[in-house]
Amino acid sequence: MTLRAAEWHKLPTSLTELCINTTLRCGQSFRWRKSAEDEWSCALHALHYRAIYPSPTTKLLTPPPSNAPSVTAEDDTLALINHYFNLAPDLGQLRAPKFTGIRILRQDAWEALIGFICSSNNISRISGMVHNLCLHYGPLIAHLDDVTYHDFPTPDALSGPDVEAHLMKLGFGYRAKYIAKTARIVSQDKGLKWLQDLSNPECPQFGVPEQPAGELLEGGREGYRKAHEELLALHGVGPKVADCVYLFGLGWSESVPVDTHVWQIAQRDYKFGKDKHSSLTAATYIAVGNHFRKLWGKEAGWAHSVLFTADLKAFSERVVAKKEVKEEEVVVKQEDGETVVEDVIKKETTKRKRVKKEPGENEHNVLEVKTETTRRSKRQRA
DNA sequence: AGCAGACCTCAGAG
DNA sequence: ACTCTGAGGTCTG
């Protein structure tokens, strides 16, 4: 593995337009990790990014979903960053509630699908599960500063015969079956292209040209309503998980995932929870989404995330989950003639601790991005 | 259509 | 040190 460093680039945005600490922690993605040195990192595409604030330092590390188009030049790196962080829309122009810096990431649809199947959990536990998926089934991308970076596993990698039992052992619970079944359907039956073709044509997967997506109707645009039916057929995918995938992985901005949190907000601020909609039934779920769409149109999902995060934020000022990682077992084993680099079963214990709000959280620093290109010199073999 | 209980793990309460 | 309860979303009956 060779790393080639490139010039420093200034990300074409300000912190009013993108707040990394909020955007990467608000429960829309589960793979970014923040180190003790205040650096964010994630394996994503065949690249290695580095972003810093004047102080403290923030680093974004990145390598590739194997299904993504290969990107090598720095110009494309910037395009990828613009795409992933969804930097094109001007937040100042949005009618959504004011809460600066929250972006709806444009994540890989497959990763979002599996990630949100794990999502009947708190964010730190979902992150742990997704991390374990990458560690055990994702291709090794880089070894840097004593940290190994694995990409998100492909549908093929998750459709082996022992996946369900193994995930059970890793503490996935009933989600183990959902993941195994969904992976098998996508890899052997429907195909990844099927999933990606459910994307909003106005907001396609990286590298795909944009197409118009039609008029907004009460229940969302035609394509969104149609995509709805498709994903619900998968095991472990109900309306909430499907809406998360539409919003964060398939670019349908009118999607409003109603979880218990959003349901609280709907009751508290929008007079839901009475008569007809006294509990969160399927009909109530649709009514909440339609109400948000009536208020914010195509940006309903964005607005929803802002409200959601604002609530999350208020919560996190009082109580912050502090994580302790304990290594229980380290095994090196072989699979299919390829070296499985580390088979580490980690158990994460979460302790709740009262802390003050982190200083500098909302400071308007300049965000810079350093790009580096990773090249795989050779595939590791046993 | 709505609702209750099962699924599974973990944290927190008692 | 122990058991019990509740949270999280989906599925089944």
Side-chain angles (χ1 to χ4, degrees), chain A residues 19 44 51 54 76 140 194 208 210 224 227 248 255 260 278 300 308 311 322 328 362:
Chain A
C19 177
L44 173 96
D76 293 337
L140 176 70
W194 160 80
V208 179
E210 295 177 20
Y224 166 76
F248 303 123
S255 172
T260 51
S278 57
F308 176 90
D311 259 34
K322 191 172 171 128
E328 283 197 332
N362 293 322

Side-chain angles (χ1 to χ4, degrees), chain A residues 64-360:
Chain A
S66 341
N67 53 335
S70 72
V71 182
T72 48
E74 284 75 15
D75 285 352
D76 293 337
T77 301
L78 191 58
L80 177 61
I81 288 186
N82 270 311
H83 177 89
Y84 185 83
F85 286 103
N86 200 3
L87 295 178
D90 183 350
L91 293 189
Q93 301 294 307
L94 294 181
R95 290 187 295 136
K98 291 272 174 278
F99 196 78
T100 53
I102 307 248
R103 293 270 161 186
I104 304 291
L105 299 176
R106 294 163 75 177
Q107 301 175 69
D108 176 75
W110 164 248
E111 177 177 344
L113 174 60
I114 297 301
F116 284 102
I117 284 179
C118 298
S119 73
S120 56
N121 262 311
N122 63 49
I123 296 172
S124 85
R125 198 172 155 219
I126 304 164
S127 301
M129 289 173 150
V130 170
H131 180 69
N132 264 334
L133 282 179
C134 295
L135 200 60
H136 293 271
Y137 295 98
L140 176 70
I141 293 304
H143 195 97
L144 208 84
D145 304 332
D146 292 328
V147 183
T148 51
Y149 290 90
H150 293 258
D151 191 13
F152 195 80
T154 61
D156 278 355
L158 289 175
S159 32
D162 304 323
V163 170
E164 185 182 334
H166 186 207
L167 293 183
M168 263 332 258
K169 231 177 269 173
L170 289 172
F172 279 67
Y174 55 82
R175 302 156 198 91
K177 185 183 278 178
Y178 294 159
I179 292 170
K181 279 188 167 180
T182 295
R184 215 162 291 148
I185 288 170
V186 171
S187 90
Q188 288 160 27
D189 181 14
K190 292 178 182 285
L192 211 46
K193 188 172 182 301
W194 160 80
L195 180 62
Q196 285 163 352
D197 284 349
L198 297 176
S199 295
N200 177 0
E202 273 176 18
C203 190
Q205 299 286 306
F206 185 63
V208 179
E210 295 177 20
Q211 304 273 331
E215 290 298 304
L216 184 73
L217 309 165
E218 191 192 24
R221 283 167 285 193
E222 189 67 33
Y224 166 76
R225 293 149 70 116
K226 215 178 130 210
H228 228 276
E229 307 302 313
E230 301 261 357
L231 280 194
L232 289 178
L234 297 170
H235 293 270
V237 180
K240 188 266 177 182
V241 170
D243 273 328
C244 286
V245 180
Y246 299 132
L247 182 59
F248 303 123
L250 293 168
W252 291 103
S253 54
E254 67 262 57
S255 172
V256 180
V258 184
D259 62 0
T260 51
H261 220 96
V262 175
W263 175 232
Q264 304 288 327
I265 294 170
Q267 290 174 90
R268 190 192 64 203
D269 300 339
Y270 300 104
K271 310 224 185 294
F272 280 85
K274 298 178 179 121
D275 336 306
K276 206 165 61 159
H277 299 304
S278 57
S279 65
L280 187 47
T281 64
T284 307
Y285 186 100
I286 292 165
V288 171
N290 286 345
H291 187 71
F292 274 54
R293 279 184 283 272
K294 207 190 288 172
L295 291 173
W296 295 296
K298 274 190 280 191
E299 309 308 333
W302 209 312
H304 140 278
S305 294
V306 169
L307 294 175
F308 176 90
T309 308
D311 259 34
L312 206 67
K313 190 116 173 147
F315 176 77
S316 76
E317 280 172 21
R318 278 176 280 117
V319 184
V320 164
K322 191 172 171 128
K323 250 197 267 175
E324 290 176 0
V325 180
K326 200 172 70 188
E327 287 193 7
E328 283 197 332
E329 196 185 340
V330 180
V331 196
V332 178
K333 66 174 184 183
Q334 306 236 170
E335 275 177 15
D336 303 315
E338 289 211 6
T339 321
V340 175
V341 183
E342 280 170 279
D343 199 349
V344 187
I345 298 169
K346 283 183 178 173
K347 187 146 193 174
E348 295 187 343
T349 51
T350 306
K351 283 188 179 171
R352 297 207 169 271
K353 193 181 171 186
R354 288 183 176 274
V355 289
K356 283 192 192 143
K357 189 174 148 116
E358 289 174 38

